[in-house]
Amino acid sequence: MKREQLPLYVVALAVLIVGLAFAGVPPGTLIVLPLVLACPLMMFFMMRGVQDHDDHKHQHGAP
């Protein structure tokens, strides 16, 4: 994820939360859902960063 795109993701997340609140989703669910999704999302972004680092290393001829 590029830092230039971060504000767009924050706005999208805010719109999603407000939309779910207006749709009648209980507040407890709005609190628990991000906590449940935090682990897989962090793993996804961490592994993506490792892959980008490995690609960069191989481009420069390092083993």
Side-chain angles (χ1 to χ4, degrees):
M1 177 170 70
K2 296 180 181 176
R3 292 198 186 266
E4 300 91 35
Q5 296 172 341
L6 188 59
L8 294 174
Y9 289 125
V10 171
V11 169
L13 181 62
V15 169
L16 177 66
I17 290 172
V18 169
L20 289 173
F22 278 126
V25 175
T29 303
L30 293 176
I31 293 170
V32 172
L33 188 60
L35 295 175
V36 170
L37 291 176
C39 183
L41 287 174
M42 286 190 323
M43 182 65 83
F44 173 75
F45 288 114
M46 286 176 160
M47 290 297 125
R48 187 171 163 193
V50 169
Q51 180 183 4
D52 290 343
H53 180 70
D54 286 343
D55 290 344
H56 181 70
K57 187 169 49 172
H58 289 299
Q59 288 176 353
H60 291 288

